[in-house]
Amino acid sequence: IHMPIQLPLYSYIVTRCNFFFSLQHNAKVAVLGASGGIGQPLSLLLKNSPLVSELSLYDIAHTPGVAADLSHIETRATVTGYMGADQLGAALKGCDVVVIPAGVPRKPGMTRDDLFNTNATIVATLADACARHCPQAMICIISNPVNSTIPITSEVMKKHGVYNPSSVFGVTTLDIVRANAFVAELKGLDPARVNVPVVGGHAGKTIIPLISQCTPKVEFPTDQLSALTGRIQEAGTEVVKAKAGAGSATLSMAYAGARFTFSLLDAMNGKEGVVECAFVRSEETECKYFSTPLLLGKNGIEKNLGLGKLSAFEEKLVAEAMDELKGSIKKGEDFVANMK
């Protein structure tokens, strides 16, 4: 007697579950600067993920080729390439997450700040397009100098009246990835099980690894701790020198950018307890923007977890970073204020 009732109900539930499941994992992600040294491997990693259903690739050159190449990979994300300023709006339409590695890389002898003039204009242009075409999207900025490009992005979004501090992120994940790798190497640990929070900014002495908060707990003598901190802070320069003029960190940066994007997508899909550090609008210190561990949620930042308990050594590093960080932030804000 019950069979005719049960079957449709059962299939209804299964259909509903499948519907919700498919809803959960349908994310449209754009990569702006997709043909570059970071953009290509980043796009490859995103194409490989079941979290991404649509991949939108934008650059000023070569994107049709990159998109055609990636589209042959046997994963479900559909890939579309867009090239040139006139196609930027179409690339951004309906995006949930926008990742921006666009810009020029460092060469030997350059600081991240030396990239400012070129990359500030690029990021401001792309942020303007995001404000117009996907104002609700999560914006993840990789383009250096991040300490200035995040204030630039924020100020451009404010001009359009669409700024949401919970959805604009400076991707500092590579600092965490490097800290994890270097600590694991020194202690003979599995790097996948090491987690070192890195706070502050994303350049030189503004990069502050909190070794005292590492899980699992690790201890180093003072001289080794100082050397390790210096290596984490200057790891980007280590790669720039090793590449001898052929660019900066691209593969490790693509990995770190993908890691952050996947964490964000997981949190947007309702996964709980997702924590990543990122350079964001902040009330945690006297700096307007600061990187700390963030609890991510459906709408971006759910809660800023702050600095936590610092060692005396780390407190000194934070104090010493403040002036440089404030200067970089002001430089970004002034750039937008003076834009034509």
Side-chain angles (χ1 to χ4, degrees):
I1 294 167
H2 296 296
M3 285 301 283
I5 296 166
Q6 278 182 327
L7 276 174
L9 184 63
Y10 171 75
S11 57
Y12 170 76
I13 290 167
V14 169
T15 308
R16 293 295 289 173
C17 288
N18 287 343
F19 174 69
F20 283 123
F21 182 78
S22 66
L23 261 187
Q24 263 192 326
H25 293 86
N26 279 346
K28 181 173 182 180
V29 180
V31 179
L32 308 184
S35 304
I38 297 166
Q40 289 202 39
L42 173 60
S43 299
L44 172 61
L45 292 168
L46 295 173
K47 170 68 174 126
N48 208 25
S49 170
L51 295 169
V52 180
S53 59
E54 281 184 76
L55 193 53
S56 180
L57 307 182
Y58 172 81
D59 213 318
I60 54 170
H62 311 304
T63 359
V66 175
D69 195 353
L70 288 175
S71 73
H72 293 180
I73 292 172
E74 56 186 352
T75 54
R76 77 184 191 112
T78 57
V79 186
T80 316
Y82 299 88
M83 190 168 76
D86 56 331
Q87 293 186 11
L88 179 54
L92 292 169
K93 197 174 185 309
C95 283
D96 301 296
V97 178
V98 180
V99 191
I100 308 184
V104 295
R106 282 200 288 162
K107 294 216 160 37
M110 288 175 85
T111 65
R112 287 183 181 89
D113 199 51
D114 292 334
L115 305 173
F116 184 89
N117 290 336
T118 307
N119 288 359
T121 306
I122 293 169
V123 170
T125 304
L126 298 175
D128 183 84
C130 291
R132 292 171 195 273
H133 301 285
C134 57
Q136 306 294 312
M138 303 289 156
I139 312 291
C140 308
I141 306 284
I142 291 171
S143 315
N144 275 314
V146 166
N147 293 356
S148 300
T149 55
I150 283 298
I152 288 170
T153 303
S154 303
E155 292 301 311
V156 169
M157 302 299 269
K158 280 180 201 172
K159 278 192 169 182
H160 287 273
V162 296
Y163 176 55
N164 176 359
S166 297
S167 62
V168 178
F169 303 90
V171 180
T172 62
T173 316
L174 183 50
D175 299 324
I176 293 88
V177 166
R178 284 167 166 157
N180 294 347
F182 299 167
V183 167
E185 191 183 347
L186 288 171
K187 292 292 184 188
L189 298 165
D190 173 3
R193 302 186 68 124
V194 176
N195 183 30
V196 180
V198 181
V199 301
H202 184 60
K205 69 177 182 186
T206 70
I207 298 168
I208 304 158
L210 304 182
I211 309 289
S212 73
Q213 294 181 24
C214 177
T215 50
K217 193 158 176 47
V218 292
E219 283 182 8
F220 295 98
T222 312
D223 56 339
Q224 198 179 17
L225 178 64
S226 187
L228 171 62
T229 300
R231 187 181 177 206
I232 293 164
Q233 290 175 331
E234 293 305 321
T237 306
E238 192 178 304
V239 176
V240 169
K241 283 181 180 166
K243 288 197 174 182
S248 56
T250 52
L251 302 171
S252 53
M253 185 60 248
Y255 166 84
R259 172 182 143 165
F260 183 80
T261 306
F262 298 150
S263 289
L264 192 52
L265 289 170
D266 273 337
M268 289 165 76
N269 287 335
K271 184 175 175 182
E272 292 185 357
V274 180
V275 176
E276 289 282 359
C277 296
F279 187 66
V280 297
R281 183 76 178 87
S282 173
E283 305 294 331
E284 298 303 314
T285 68
E286 64 204 64
C287 269
K288 271 192 208 174
Y289 298 86
F290 205 84
S291 181
T292 43
L294 309 167
L295 178 64
L296 301 176
K298 291 190 174 183
N299 303 306
I301 302 170
E302 195 156 294
K303 188 177 184 216
N304 193 319
L305 301 177
L307 284 166
K309 191 175 184 309
L310 304 182
S311 69
F313 176 69
E314 291 158 357
E315 278 179 356
K316 186 165 174 281
L317 292 177
V318 170
E320 287 170 356
M322 283 299 169
D323 284 351
E324 183 184 325
L325 204 42
K326 284 179 184 168
S328 299
I329 291 165
K330 186 175 186 314
K331 190 170 178 179
E333 289 175 336
D334 290 350
F335 178 82
V336 178
N338 298 324
M339 260 182 2
K340 295 288 179 279

